[in-house]
Protein backbone atom coordinates (compact mmCIF):
# COMPACT_ATOMS: atom_id res chain seq x y z
CA UNK A 1 0.00 0.00 0.00
CA UNK A 2 1.33 3.40 -1.03
CA UNK A 3 2.14 6.18 1.38
CA UNK A 4 -0.90 8.46 1.61
CA UNK A 5 -0.18 12.11 0.88
CA UNK A 6 -2.87 13.68 3.00
CA UNK A 7 -3.75 17.22 2.09
CA UNK A 8 -5.02 17.99 5.55
CA UNK A 9 -1.67 17.22 7.19
CA UNK A 10 0.13 19.50 4.74
CA UNK A 11 -2.56 22.15 5.17
CA UNK A 12 -2.40 22.04 8.98
CA UNK A 13 1.34 22.69 8.90
CA UNK A 14 0.78 25.70 6.65
CA UNK A 15 -2.23 26.94 8.64
CA UNK A 16 -0.08 27.35 11.73
CA UNK A 17 2.36 29.63 9.91
CA UNK A 18 -0.48 31.55 8.29
CA UNK A 19 -2.13 32.18 11.63
CA UNK A 20 1.11 33.65 12.98
CA UNK A 21 1.40 35.99 9.99
CA UNK A 22 -2.25 37.08 10.21
CA UNK A 23 -2.01 37.73 13.95
CA UNK A 24 1.15 39.77 13.45
CA UNK A 25 -0.65 41.90 10.89
CA UNK A 26 -3.71 42.34 13.07
CA UNK A 27 -1.44 43.60 15.82
CA UNK A 28 -0.19 46.25 13.44
CA UNK A 29 -3.77 47.26 12.66
CA UNK A 30 -4.39 45.43 9.39
CA UNK A 31 -6.85 42.53 9.36
CA UNK A 32 -6.35 40.38 6.25
CA UNK A 33 -9.79 40.35 4.66
CA UNK A 34 -11.40 38.25 1.96
CA UNK A 35 -14.58 39.20 0.15
CA UNK A 36 -16.73 36.26 -0.86
CA UNK A 37 -19.11 37.10 -3.69
CA UNK A 38 -21.95 34.65 -4.17
CA UNK A 39 -24.82 34.98 -6.65
CA UNK A 40 -27.91 32.97 -5.74
CA UNK A 41 -28.39 30.13 -3.28
CA UNK A 42 -26.69 27.22 -5.03
CA UNK A 43 -26.00 24.41 -2.55
CA UNK A 44 -22.46 23.61 -3.67
CA UNK A 45 -21.58 27.33 -3.64
CA UNK A 46 -22.81 27.59 -0.06
CA UNK A 47 -20.89 24.45 0.91
CA UNK A 48 -17.68 25.85 -0.54
CA UNK A 49 -18.35 29.20 1.10
CA UNK A 50 -18.87 27.56 4.48
CA UNK A 51 -15.59 25.66 4.08
CA UNK A 52 -13.78 28.89 3.27
CA UNK A 53 -15.33 30.72 6.22
CA UNK A 54 -14.27 27.93 8.57
CA UNK A 55 -10.72 27.94 7.23
CA UNK A 56 -10.60 31.74 7.47
CA UNK A 57 -11.52 31.58 11.16
CA UNK A 58 -8.68 29.12 11.79
CA UNK A 59 -6.08 31.48 10.35
CA UNK A 60 -7.57 34.81 11.51
CA UNK A 61 -8.62 36.01 8.08
CA UNK A 62 -11.73 38.21 8.15
CA UNK A 63 -14.54 37.49 5.71
CA UNK A 64 -16.94 39.97 4.14
CA UNK A 65 -19.83 38.32 2.34
CA UNK A 66 -21.54 39.86 -0.64
CA UNK A 67 -24.60 37.70 -1.27
CA UNK A 68 -26.48 38.72 -4.40
CA UNK A 69 -29.90 37.60 -5.66
CA UNK A 70 -29.82 34.98 -8.42
CA UNK A 71 -31.36 37.48 -10.85
CA UNK A 72 -28.92 40.33 -10.13
CA UNK A 73 -28.32 42.69 -13.04
CA UNK A 74 -24.85 42.43 -14.59
CA UNK A 75 -24.13 46.11 -13.97
CA UNK A 76 -25.01 45.78 -10.30
CA UNK A 77 -22.63 42.84 -9.90
CA UNK A 78 -19.94 44.79 -11.74
CA UNK A 79 -20.52 47.67 -9.30
CA UNK A 80 -20.02 45.33 -6.34
CA UNK A 81 -16.75 44.02 -7.74
CA UNK A 82 -15.64 47.54 -8.52
CA UNK A 83 -16.46 48.55 -4.94
CA UNK A 84 -14.32 45.68 -3.61
CA UNK A 85 -11.50 46.42 -6.08
CA UNK A 86 -11.32 49.96 -4.73
CA UNK A 87 -11.77 49.10 -1.06
CA UNK A 88 -8.41 49.19 0.69
CA UNK A 89 -9.69 47.20 3.66
CA UNK A 90 -10.47 44.17 1.48
CA UNK A 91 -7.40 42.35 0.20
CA UNK A 92 -8.86 39.58 -1.92
CA UNK A 93 -11.95 38.42 -3.77
CA UNK A 94 -13.39 34.94 -4.09
CA UNK A 95 -16.13 34.91 -6.72
CA UNK A 96 -18.11 31.68 -6.55
CA UNK A 97 -18.67 30.09 -9.94
CA UNK A 98 -20.35 29.14 -12.22
CA UNK A 99 -22.46 32.30 -12.41
CA UNK A 100 -26.11 32.23 -13.55
CA UNK A 101 -26.37 32.14 -17.33
CA UNK A 102 -27.81 35.61 -17.81
CA UNK A 103 -24.49 37.08 -16.66
CA UNK A 104 -21.44 37.52 -18.91
CA UNK A 105 -19.11 35.38 -16.86
CA UNK A 106 -15.99 36.31 -18.81
CA UNK A 107 -16.59 40.04 -18.39
CA UNK A 108 -17.23 39.67 -14.67
CA UNK A 109 -14.23 37.42 -14.01
CA UNK A 110 -11.97 39.82 -15.86
CA UNK A 111 -13.22 42.83 -13.92
CA UNK A 112 -11.52 41.55 -10.74
CA UNK A 113 -8.27 43.44 -10.07
CA UNK A 114 -5.32 41.08 -10.59
CA UNK A 115 -3.89 41.85 -7.16
CA UNK A 116 -7.20 40.82 -5.55
CA UNK A 117 -7.87 37.78 -7.77
CA UNK A 118 -7.18 35.10 -5.13
CA UNK A 119 -7.92 32.03 -7.28
CA UNK A 120 -6.57 33.13 -10.68
CA UNK A 121 -9.96 33.28 -12.37
CA UNK A 122 -9.22 36.37 -14.48
CA UNK A 123 -7.41 36.18 -17.80
CA UNK A 124 -4.85 38.68 -16.56
CA UNK A 125 -3.90 36.42 -13.65
CA UNK A 126 -3.60 33.36 -15.88
CA UNK A 127 -1.62 35.30 -18.45
CA UNK A 128 0.69 36.49 -15.68
CA UNK A 129 1.36 32.87 -14.75
CA UNK A 130 2.29 32.12 -18.36
CA UNK A 131 4.41 35.26 -18.75
CA UNK A 132 6.04 34.66 -15.34
CA UNK A 133 5.03 38.11 -14.12
CA UNK A 134 4.73 38.96 -10.48
CA UNK A 135 1.62 40.48 -8.98
CA UNK A 136 -0.98 37.75 -9.46
CA UNK A 137 -1.80 34.49 -7.68
CA UNK A 138 -1.74 30.93 -9.01
CA UNK A 139 -4.93 28.87 -9.17
CA UNK A 140 -5.32 27.31 -5.70
CA UNK A 141 -5.85 23.78 -7.03
CA UNK A 142 -2.71 23.82 -9.18
CA UNK A 143 -0.72 25.32 -6.32
CA UNK A 144 -2.13 22.67 -4.02
CA UNK A 145 -0.45 19.96 -6.13
CA UNK A 146 2.86 21.80 -5.81
CA UNK A 147 2.48 22.37 -2.07
CA UNK A 148 1.71 18.73 -1.37
CA UNK A 149 4.82 17.64 -3.29
CA UNK A 150 6.84 20.20 -1.37
CA UNK A 151 5.43 19.30 2.03
CA UNK A 152 6.13 15.59 1.52
CA UNK A 153 9.67 16.31 0.23
CA UNK A 154 9.08 14.86 -3.21
CA UNK A 155 11.55 16.59 -5.55
CA UNK A 156 10.39 17.79 -8.96
CA UNK A 157 13.60 19.30 -10.34
CA UNK A 158 14.89 17.19 -13.22
CA UNK A 159 12.05 14.70 -12.74
CA UNK A 160 9.73 13.45 -15.46
CA UNK A 161 6.18 14.56 -14.76
CA UNK A 162 3.11 13.61 -16.76
CA UNK A 163 0.10 15.91 -16.45
CA UNK A 164 -3.11 14.29 -17.70
CA UNK A 165 -5.43 17.08 -18.83
CA UNK A 166 -4.77 20.32 -20.70
CA UNK A 167 -7.40 22.66 -19.25
CA UNK A 168 -6.69 26.33 -18.53
CA UNK A 169 -8.01 25.84 -15.02
CA UNK A 170 -5.63 23.09 -13.94
CA UNK A 171 -3.66 21.14 -16.58
CA UNK A 172 -1.82 24.00 -18.22
CA UNK A 173 -1.22 26.05 -15.04
CA UNK A 174 0.19 23.08 -13.11
CA UNK A 175 2.39 22.17 -16.10
CA UNK A 176 3.79 25.73 -16.11
CA UNK A 177 4.39 25.64 -12.36
CA UNK A 178 6.17 22.30 -12.62
CA UNK A 179 8.29 23.58 -15.48
CA UNK A 180 9.20 26.67 -13.47
CA UNK A 181 10.47 24.23 -10.82
CA UNK A 182 12.58 22.54 -13.50
CA UNK A 183 10.55 19.39 -14.04
CA UNK A 184 10.44 17.81 -17.51
CA UNK A 185 6.73 17.93 -18.23
CA UNK A 186 4.58 16.00 -20.70
CA UNK A 187 0.93 16.94 -21.11
CA UNK A 188 -1.37 14.08 -22.12
CA UNK A 189 -5.01 14.62 -23.07
CA UNK A 190 -8.01 13.09 -24.80
CA UNK A 191 -6.21 12.95 -28.16
CA UNK A 192 -3.16 11.15 -26.72
CA UNK A 193 -3.23 7.54 -27.86
CA UNK A 194 -3.91 4.93 -25.17
CA UNK A 195 -0.57 3.34 -25.93
CA UNK A 196 1.36 6.61 -25.49
CA UNK A 197 -0.55 7.47 -22.35
CA UNK A 198 0.39 4.14 -20.78
CA UNK A 199 4.02 4.41 -21.92
CA UNK A 200 4.49 8.00 -20.74
CA UNK A 201 2.74 7.45 -17.41
CA UNK A 202 4.80 4.34 -16.69
CA UNK A 203 8.05 6.25 -17.36
CA UNK A 204 7.10 9.25 -15.25
CA UNK A 205 8.38 9.93 -11.76
CA UNK A 206 5.25 11.91 -10.89
CA UNK A 207 1.78 11.75 -12.44
CA UNK A 208 -0.76 14.55 -12.01
CA UNK A 209 -4.22 13.25 -12.94
CA UNK A 210 -6.44 16.19 -13.91
CA UNK A 211 -8.58 14.78 -16.66
CA UNK A 212 -11.95 15.12 -14.96
CA UNK A 213 -12.91 11.47 -15.57
CA UNK A 214 -12.71 8.63 -13.11
CA UNK A 215 -10.46 5.66 -13.83
CA UNK A 216 -8.29 7.78 -16.13
CA UNK A 217 -5.21 6.31 -14.43
CA UNK A 218 -5.28 2.55 -13.89
CA UNK A 219 -2.90 0.05 -12.32
CA UNK A 220 -1.57 -1.07 -15.72
CA UNK A 221 -0.23 2.45 -16.32
CA UNK A 222 1.87 2.79 -13.17
CA UNK A 223 4.94 1.20 -11.58
CA UNK A 224 6.56 1.08 -8.15
CA UNK A 225 8.40 4.20 -7.04
CA UNK A 226 6.01 6.74 -8.53
CA UNK A 227 4.07 9.57 -6.93
CA UNK A 228 0.48 10.13 -8.03
CA UNK A 229 -1.40 13.38 -7.40
CA UNK A 230 -5.12 13.04 -8.06
CA UNK A 231 -6.89 16.32 -8.85
CA UNK A 232 -10.16 14.76 -9.97
CA UNK A 233 -13.51 15.17 -8.24
CA UNK A 234 -16.03 12.69 -9.65
CA UNK A 235 -18.80 10.55 -8.23
CA UNK A 236 -19.19 6.81 -8.76
CA UNK A 237 -22.39 4.82 -9.22
CA UNK A 238 -22.97 4.73 -5.46
CA UNK A 239 -22.62 8.50 -5.28
CA UNK A 240 -19.27 8.30 -3.50
CA UNK A 241 -16.68 10.96 -4.27
CA UNK A 242 -13.73 9.56 -6.25
CA UNK A 243 -10.81 11.07 -8.14
CA UNK A 244 -9.43 10.46 -11.63
CA UNK A 245 -7.34 7.53 -10.39
CA UNK A 246 -8.53 3.94 -9.95
CA UNK A 247 -7.42 4.32 -6.35
CA UNK A 248 -7.31 0.84 -4.77
CA UNK A 249 -5.33 -0.99 -7.47
CA UNK A 250 -3.06 1.98 -8.24
CA UNK A 251 -2.23 2.51 -4.57
CA UNK A 252 -1.11 -1.14 -4.41
CA UNK A 253 1.61 -0.36 -6.97
CA UNK A 254 2.92 3.18 -6.56
CA UNK A 255 5.06 4.70 -3.82
CA UNK A 256 2.86 7.62 -2.80
CA UNK A 257 -0.61 8.88 -3.69
CA UNK A 258 -3.10 11.56 -2.68
CA UNK A 259 -6.50 10.22 -1.59
CA UNK A 260 -9.81 11.66 -2.83
CA UNK A 261 -11.30 13.11 -0.71
CA UNK A 262 -8.57 14.23 1.66
CA UNK A 263 -5.86 15.04 -0.87
CA UNK A 264 -5.48 18.05 -3.15
CA UNK A 265 -8.90 19.44 -2.22
CA UNK A 266 -8.04 19.64 1.48
CA UNK A 267 -5.29 22.11 0.71
CA UNK A 268 -7.06 24.56 -1.60
CA UNK A 269 -8.84 26.78 0.93
CA UNK A 270 -5.63 27.01 2.94
CA UNK A 271 -3.88 28.36 -0.16
CA UNK A 272 -6.76 30.76 -0.71
CA UNK A 273 -6.07 32.14 2.78
CA UNK A 274 -2.34 32.23 2.08
CA UNK A 275 -3.08 34.44 -0.93
CA UNK A 276 -5.24 36.78 1.17
CA UNK A 277 -2.49 37.09 3.77
CA UNK A 278 0.13 37.73 1.08
CA UNK A 279 -2.11 40.35 -0.52
CA UNK A 280 -2.58 42.05 2.85
CA UNK A 281 1.17 41.95 3.53
CA UNK A 282 1.81 43.61 0.18
CA UNK A 283 -0.48 46.53 1.05
CA UNK A 284 1.46 47.00 4.28
CA UNK A 285 4.77 47.15 2.41
CA UNK A 286 3.55 50.15 0.44
CA UNK B 1 19.86 10.72 -46.07
CA UNK B 2 16.67 12.28 -44.69
CA UNK B 3 14.12 14.11 -46.78
CA UNK B 4 14.93 17.83 -46.59
CA UNK B 5 12.02 19.98 -45.43
CA UNK B 6 12.93 23.19 -47.23
CA UNK B 7 11.30 26.28 -45.85
CA UNK B 8 11.59 28.12 -49.13
CA UNK B 9 9.50 25.55 -51.00
CA UNK B 10 6.75 25.77 -48.38
CA UNK B 11 7.04 29.57 -48.36
CA UNK B 12 6.81 29.85 -52.15
CA UNK B 13 3.56 27.89 -52.15
CA UNK B 14 2.13 30.21 -49.52
CA UNK B 15 3.49 33.36 -51.21
CA UNK B 16 1.42 32.66 -54.31
CA UNK B 17 -1.80 32.52 -52.33
CA UNK B 18 -0.85 35.61 -50.34
CA UNK B 19 -0.16 37.57 -53.53
CA UNK B 20 -3.65 36.73 -54.80
CA UNK B 21 -5.24 37.88 -51.58
CA UNK B 22 -3.23 41.11 -51.49
CA UNK B 23 -3.99 41.93 -55.12
CA UNK B 24 -7.69 41.31 -54.53
CA UNK B 25 -7.61 43.75 -51.63
CA UNK B 26 -5.67 46.37 -53.60
CA UNK B 27 -8.35 46.16 -56.28
CA UNK B 28 -10.90 47.02 -53.64
CA UNK B 29 -8.84 50.01 -52.59
CA UNK B 30 -7.01 48.66 -49.53
CA UNK B 31 -3.26 48.09 -49.78
CA UNK B 32 -2.09 45.77 -46.98
CA UNK B 33 0.61 47.80 -45.24
CA UNK B 34 3.34 46.94 -42.74
CA UNK B 35 5.19 49.53 -40.69
CA UNK B 36 8.80 48.60 -39.96
CA UNK B 37 10.16 50.45 -36.94
CA UNK B 38 13.93 50.40 -36.63
CA UNK B 39 16.00 52.22 -34.01
CA UNK B 40 19.61 52.85 -35.03
CA UNK B 41 21.70 51.34 -37.80
CA UNK B 42 22.42 47.85 -36.48
CA UNK B 43 23.63 45.60 -39.31
CA UNK B 44 21.52 42.57 -38.47
CA UNK B 45 18.41 44.76 -38.07
CA UNK B 46 19.01 46.21 -41.53
CA UNK B 47 19.58 42.73 -42.99
CA UNK B 48 16.30 41.49 -41.50
CA UNK B 49 14.51 44.62 -42.70
CA UNK B 50 15.83 44.16 -46.23
CA UNK B 51 14.61 40.56 -46.23
CA UNK B 52 11.18 41.68 -45.09
CA UNK B 53 11.01 44.43 -47.72
CA UNK B 54 11.94 41.96 -50.45
CA UNK B 55 9.32 39.47 -49.29
CA UNK B 56 6.72 42.25 -49.05
CA UNK B 57 7.35 43.19 -52.67
CA UNK B 58 6.78 39.58 -53.74
CA UNK B 59 3.33 39.48 -52.15
CA UNK B 60 2.22 43.07 -52.81
CA UNK B 61 2.41 44.23 -49.21
CA UNK B 62 3.31 47.91 -48.87
CA UNK B 63 6.03 48.91 -46.41
CA UNK B 64 6.28 52.13 -44.44
CA UNK B 65 9.62 52.55 -42.73
CA UNK B 66 10.06 54.46 -39.50
CA UNK B 67 13.81 54.77 -39.02
CA UNK B 68 14.71 56.36 -35.70
CA UNK B 69 18.06 57.63 -34.43
CA UNK B 70 19.86 55.27 -32.03
CA UNK B 71 19.51 57.86 -29.24
CA UNK B 72 15.78 58.47 -29.72
CA UNK B 73 13.90 59.46 -26.55
CA UNK B 74 11.54 56.84 -25.22
CA UNK B 75 8.56 59.18 -25.41
CA UNK B 76 9.27 59.96 -29.04
CA UNK B 77 9.38 56.26 -29.92
CA UNK B 78 6.14 55.74 -27.98
CA UNK B 79 4.59 58.55 -30.02
CA UNK B 80 5.60 56.86 -33.25
CA UNK B 81 4.05 53.55 -32.17
CA UNK B 82 0.96 55.37 -31.02
CA UNK B 83 0.74 57.10 -34.41
CA UNK B 84 0.94 53.73 -36.18
CA UNK B 85 -1.56 52.13 -33.77
CA UNK B 86 -4.09 54.83 -34.69
CA UNK B 87 -3.34 54.93 -38.41
CA UNK B 88 -6.02 53.01 -40.27
CA UNK B 89 -3.89 52.72 -43.41
CA UNK B 90 -1.22 50.71 -41.58
CA UNK B 91 -2.29 47.18 -40.68
CA UNK B 92 0.71 45.81 -38.86
CA UNK B 93 3.91 46.73 -37.02
CA UNK B 94 7.28 45.03 -37.06
CA UNK B 95 9.50 46.48 -34.33
CA UNK B 96 13.10 45.39 -34.82
CA UNK B 97 14.72 44.14 -31.63
CA UNK B 98 16.69 44.24 -29.42
CA UNK B 99 16.23 47.96 -28.74
CA UNK B 100 19.09 50.16 -27.44
CA UNK B 101 19.53 49.79 -23.70
CA UNK B 102 18.38 53.30 -22.73
CA UNK B 103 14.86 52.35 -23.85
CA UNK B 104 12.37 50.40 -21.70
CA UNK B 105 11.92 47.54 -24.10
CA UNK B 106 9.04 45.95 -22.19
CA UNK B 107 7.04 49.17 -22.12
CA UNK B 108 7.58 49.78 -25.81
CA UNK B 109 6.77 46.21 -26.88
CA UNK B 110 3.57 46.31 -24.86
CA UNK B 111 2.45 49.61 -26.37
CA UNK B 112 1.86 47.94 -29.74
CA UNK B 113 -1.85 47.30 -30.33
CA UNK B 114 -2.52 43.53 -30.25
CA UNK B 115 -4.28 43.59 -33.62
CA UNK B 116 -1.17 45.19 -35.17
CA UNK B 117 1.44 43.09 -33.33
CA UNK B 118 2.53 40.96 -36.29
CA UNK B 119 5.21 38.90 -34.53
CA UNK B 120 3.64 38.42 -31.08
CA UNK B 121 6.17 40.54 -29.22
CA UNK B 122 3.69 42.10 -26.79
CA UNK B 123 2.59 40.35 -23.61
CA UNK B 124 -1.05 40.69 -24.66
CA UNK B 125 -0.41 38.73 -27.86
CA UNK B 126 1.49 35.99 -26.02
CA UNK B 127 -1.18 35.82 -23.35
CA UNK B 128 -3.83 35.54 -26.06
CA UNK B 129 -2.00 32.51 -27.45
CA UNK B 130 -2.05 30.89 -24.01
CA UNK B 131 -5.68 31.79 -23.34
CA UNK B 132 -6.67 30.71 -26.87
CA UNK B 133 -8.22 34.08 -27.61
CA UNK B 134 -8.73 35.37 -31.10
CA UNK B 135 -7.44 38.73 -32.23
CA UNK B 136 -3.68 38.34 -31.98
CA UNK B 137 -1.01 36.68 -34.11
CA UNK B 138 1.33 33.82 -33.23
CA UNK B 139 5.11 34.35 -33.19
CA UNK B 140 6.26 33.87 -36.80
CA UNK B 141 9.03 31.41 -35.91
CA UNK B 142 6.74 29.12 -33.91
CA UNK B 143 4.11 29.29 -36.64
CA UNK B 144 6.80 28.52 -39.20
CA UNK B 145 7.41 25.14 -37.51
CA UNK B 146 3.69 24.38 -37.74
CA UNK B 147 3.42 25.53 -41.37
CA UNK B 148 6.37 23.40 -42.48
CA UNK B 149 4.82 20.31 -40.86
CA UNK B 150 1.52 21.12 -42.54
CA UNK B 151 3.02 21.80 -45.97
CA UNK B 152 4.94 18.52 -45.93
CA UNK B 153 1.87 16.57 -44.74
CA UNK B 154 3.43 15.46 -41.47
CA UNK B 155 0.54 14.85 -39.06
CA UNK B 156 0.79 16.08 -35.47
CA UNK B 157 -2.57 14.93 -34.06
CA UNK B 158 -2.02 12.16 -31.52
CA UNK B 159 1.75 12.22 -32.17
CA UNK B 160 4.45 12.46 -29.54
CA UNK B 161 6.36 15.71 -29.93
CA UNK B 162 9.39 16.77 -27.92
CA UNK B 163 10.14 20.48 -27.80
CA UNK B 164 13.68 21.22 -26.62
CA UNK B 165 13.66 24.68 -25.05
CA UNK B 166 11.13 26.44 -22.83
CA UNK B 167 11.52 30.08 -23.86
CA UNK B 168 8.55 32.43 -24.14
CA UNK B 169 9.69 33.38 -27.62
CA UNK B 170 9.66 29.91 -29.14
CA UNK B 171 9.56 26.83 -26.87
CA UNK B 172 6.36 27.55 -24.96
CA UNK B 173 4.42 29.07 -27.89
CA UNK B 174 5.23 26.19 -30.24
CA UNK B 175 4.30 23.69 -27.49
CA UNK B 176 0.92 25.42 -27.10
CA UNK B 177 0.34 25.44 -30.85
CA UNK B 178 1.21 21.74 -31.08
CA UNK B 179 -1.11 20.95 -28.18
CA UNK B 180 -3.91 22.92 -29.84
CA UNK B 181 -3.40 20.60 -32.83
CA UNK B 182 -3.77 17.62 -30.48
CA UNK B 183 -0.13 16.52 -30.24
CA UNK B 184 1.14 14.99 -27.00
CA UNK B 185 3.89 17.43 -26.09
CA UNK B 186 6.90 17.09 -23.79
CA UNK B 187 9.06 20.13 -23.09
CA UNK B 188 12.72 19.38 -22.34
CA UNK B 189 15.14 22.04 -21.16
CA UNK B 190 18.49 22.66 -19.51
CA UNK B 191 17.38 20.96 -16.28
CA UNK B 192 16.18 17.80 -18.06
CA UNK B 193 18.68 15.01 -17.37
CA UNK B 194 20.78 13.85 -20.32
CA UNK B 195 19.34 10.37 -19.93
CA UNK B 196 15.70 11.59 -20.04
CA UNK B 197 16.42 13.89 -22.98
CA UNK B 198 17.83 10.98 -24.99
CA UNK B 199 14.98 8.67 -24.00
CA UNK B 200 12.20 11.16 -24.73
CA UNK B 201 13.73 12.31 -28.02
CA UNK B 202 14.17 8.76 -29.22
CA UNK B 203 10.52 7.96 -28.45
CA UNK B 204 9.15 11.08 -30.15
CA UNK B 205 7.59 11.18 -33.57
CA UNK B 206 8.60 14.81 -34.04
CA UNK B 207 11.41 16.78 -32.37
CA UNK B 208 11.47 20.59 -32.33
CA UNK B 209 14.97 21.77 -31.42
CA UNK B 210 14.77 25.28 -29.99
CA UNK B 211 17.45 25.30 -27.33
CA UNK B 212 19.68 27.97 -28.82
CA UNK B 213 22.81 25.80 -28.63
CA UNK B 214 24.41 23.85 -31.42
CA UNK B 215 24.69 20.07 -31.20
CA UNK B 216 21.78 19.95 -28.74
CA UNK B 217 20.34 17.05 -30.74
CA UNK B 218 22.83 14.38 -31.75
CA UNK B 219 22.61 11.13 -33.73
CA UNK B 220 22.50 9.00 -30.56
CA UNK B 221 19.20 10.69 -29.58
CA UNK B 222 17.26 9.94 -32.77
CA UNK B 223 15.90 6.95 -34.68
CA UNK B 224 14.60 6.21 -38.17
CA UNK B 225 11.10 7.49 -38.98
CA UNK B 226 11.32 10.76 -37.07
CA UNK B 227 10.85 14.34 -38.22
CA UNK B 228 13.24 16.97 -36.89
CA UNK B 229 12.49 20.71 -37.03
CA UNK B 230 15.56 22.80 -36.24
CA UNK B 231 14.78 26.30 -34.97
CA UNK B 232 18.34 27.16 -33.91
CA UNK B 233 20.51 29.86 -35.41
CA UNK B 234 24.09 29.49 -34.21
CA UNK B 235 27.52 29.88 -35.74
CA UNK B 236 30.29 27.28 -35.68
CA UNK B 237 34.04 27.83 -35.33
CA UNK B 238 34.36 28.64 -39.04
CA UNK B 239 31.60 31.23 -38.75
CA UNK B 240 29.14 29.10 -40.69
CA UNK B 241 25.47 29.29 -39.70
CA UNK B 242 24.25 26.08 -38.06
CA UNK B 243 21.15 25.04 -36.14
CA UNK B 244 20.67 23.25 -32.82
CA UNK B 245 20.96 19.86 -34.51
CA UNK B 246 24.18 18.02 -35.35
CA UNK B 247 22.93 18.03 -38.92
CA UNK B 248 25.05 15.56 -40.91
CA UNK B 249 24.88 12.55 -38.55
CA UNK B 250 21.25 13.18 -37.53
CA UNK B 251 20.11 13.49 -41.15
CA UNK B 252 21.64 10.06 -41.81
CA UNK B 253 19.22 8.54 -39.30
CA UNK B 254 15.88 10.37 -39.31
CA UNK B 255 13.14 10.44 -41.94
CA UNK B 256 12.85 14.18 -42.50
CA UNK B 257 14.69 17.29 -41.30
CA UNK B 258 14.74 21.05 -41.85
CA UNK B 259 18.13 22.41 -42.93
CA UNK B 260 19.74 25.52 -41.38
CA UNK B 261 19.83 27.83 -43.23
CA UNK B 262 16.93 27.16 -45.59
CA UNK B 263 14.47 25.67 -43.10
CA UNK B 264 12.32 27.38 -40.48
CA UNK B 265 13.95 30.77 -41.06
CA UNK B 266 12.98 30.83 -44.75
CA UNK B 267 9.32 30.77 -43.80
CA UNK B 268 9.18 33.47 -41.13
CA UNK B 269 8.95 36.60 -43.28
CA UNK B 270 6.26 34.92 -45.39
CA UNK B 271 4.23 34.40 -42.22
CA UNK B 272 4.85 38.00 -41.25
CA UNK B 273 3.25 39.03 -44.57
CA UNK B 274 0.41 36.55 -44.02
CA UNK B 275 -0.33 38.31 -40.73
CA UNK B 276 -0.33 41.73 -42.43
CA UNK B 277 -2.73 40.49 -45.10
CA UNK B 278 -4.99 38.92 -42.47
CA UNK B 279 -4.95 42.13 -40.46
CA UNK B 280 -5.85 44.13 -43.56
CA UNK B 281 -8.64 41.69 -44.43
CA UNK B 282 -10.06 42.10 -40.93
CA UNK B 283 -10.28 45.88 -41.33
CA UNK B 284 -12.22 45.37 -44.57
CA UNK B 285 -14.71 43.08 -42.84
CA UNK B 286 -15.65 45.84 -40.46
Amino acid sequence: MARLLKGKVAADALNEKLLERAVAMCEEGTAPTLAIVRVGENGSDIAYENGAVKKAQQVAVAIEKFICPADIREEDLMDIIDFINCNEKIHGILLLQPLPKHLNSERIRNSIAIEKDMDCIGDGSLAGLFLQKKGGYAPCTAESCMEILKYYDIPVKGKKVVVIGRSLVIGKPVALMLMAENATVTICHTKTTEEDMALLCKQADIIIAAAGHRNTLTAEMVRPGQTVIDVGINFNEEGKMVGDVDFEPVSEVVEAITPVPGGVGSMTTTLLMKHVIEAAEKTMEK
Side-chain angles (χ1 to χ4, degrees), chain A:
Chain A
M1 176 67 196
R3 177 183 177 204
L4 279 187
L5 308 177
K6 293 188 180 168
K8 192 178 175 306
V9 178
D12 284 346
L14 189 49
N15 287 339
E16 260 186 63
K17 292 183 199 161
L18 293 179
L19 178 61
E20 278 176 33
R21 284 161 69 178
V23 167
M25 263 187 289
C26 289
E27 282 169 0
E28 290 192 46
T30 296
T33 303
L34 173 69
I36 297 181
V37 180
R38 166 160 58 84
V39 178
E41 302 292 327
N42 183 295
S44 64
D45 282 355
I46 294 172
Y48 191 77
E49 180 185 315
N50 289 341
V53 170
K54 201 175 145 193
K55 182 59 56 89
Q57 285 167 345
Q58 285 174 23
V59 297
V61 163
I63 297 282
E64 288 215 22
K65 290 189 189 184
F66 295 79
I67 313 295
C68 313
D71 61 352
I72 188 171
R73 286 173 51 231
E74 186 163 312
E75 294 313 311
D76 292 340
L77 183 54
M78 293 287 286
D79 283 347
I80 290 172
I81 290 178
D82 192 44
F83 168 79
I84 304 172
N85 279 340
C86 300
N87 187 326
E88 288 183 6
K89 294 198 170 161
I90 299 179
H91 306 100
I93 304 180
L94 174 69
L95 171 68
L96 297 175
Q97 298 190 95
L99 293 170
K101 286 190 181 155
H102 71 282
L103 298 169
N104 181 340
S105 165
E106 186 178 355
R107 180 176 174 229
I108 292 162
R109 276 194 292 113
N110 289 328
S111 70
I112 299 174
I114 288 182
E115 66 276 15
K116 295 197 179 183
D117 182 6
M118 298 288 102
D119 197 16
C120 199
I121 66 173
D123 288 347
S125 300
L126 266 173
L129 192 71
F130 179 63
L131 299 169
Q132 293 176 278
K133 295 216 158 189
K134 287 178 184 169
Y137 297 89
C140 294
T141 303
E143 194 176 356
S144 181
C145 301
M146 303 301 294
E147 283 291 326
I148 287 176
L149 290 168
K150 195 170 142 194
Y151 177 79
Y152 286 101
D153 275 328
I154 297 162
V156 298
K157 181 178 172 181
K159 299 296 176 185
K160 287 191 291 299
V161 183
V162 165
V163 175
I164 309 176
R166 56 178 160 176
S167 77
L168 266 179
V169 180
I170 170 76
K172 282 178 179 139
V174 82
L176 286 172
M177 293 170 86
L178 288 158
M179 226 187 296
E181 297 285 336
N182 293 316
T184 299
V185 181
T186 302
I187 301 189
C188 293
H189 47 74
T190 46
K191 296 298 187 295
T192 300
T193 65
E194 268 184 48
E195 196 188 344
D196 286 344
M197 180 92 98
L199 170 80
L200 291 161
C201 284
K202 209 152 209 164
Q203 277 175 5
D205 300 299
I206 300 168
I207 302 169
I208 314 272
H213 300 285
R214 66 199 186 92
N215 297 335
T216 297
L217 189 74
T218 60
E220 297 73 45
M221 299 158 75
V222 294
R223 60 167 175 80
Q226 294 179 308
T227 297
V228 174
I229 307 284
D230 191 349
V231 182
I233 297 179
N234 310 290
F235 294 89
N236 69 9
E237 291 86 356
E238 294 101 58
K240 194 186 148 205
M241 188 195 283
V242 294
D244 286 358
V245 177
D246 189 10
F247 185 80
E248 299 298 340
V250 168
S251 63
E252 293 298 325
V253 179
V254 300
E255 169 105 7
I257 187 167
T258 60
V260 176
V264 173
S266 306
M267 187 79 190
T268 52
T269 49
T270 292
L271 290 168
L272 185 68
M273 298 312 149
K274 179 174 162 240
H275 294 169
V276 178
I277 291 168
E278 280 177 18
E281 284 170 346
K282 279 182 199 164
T283 63
M284 291 178 73
E285 285 162 14
K286 279 175 190 168

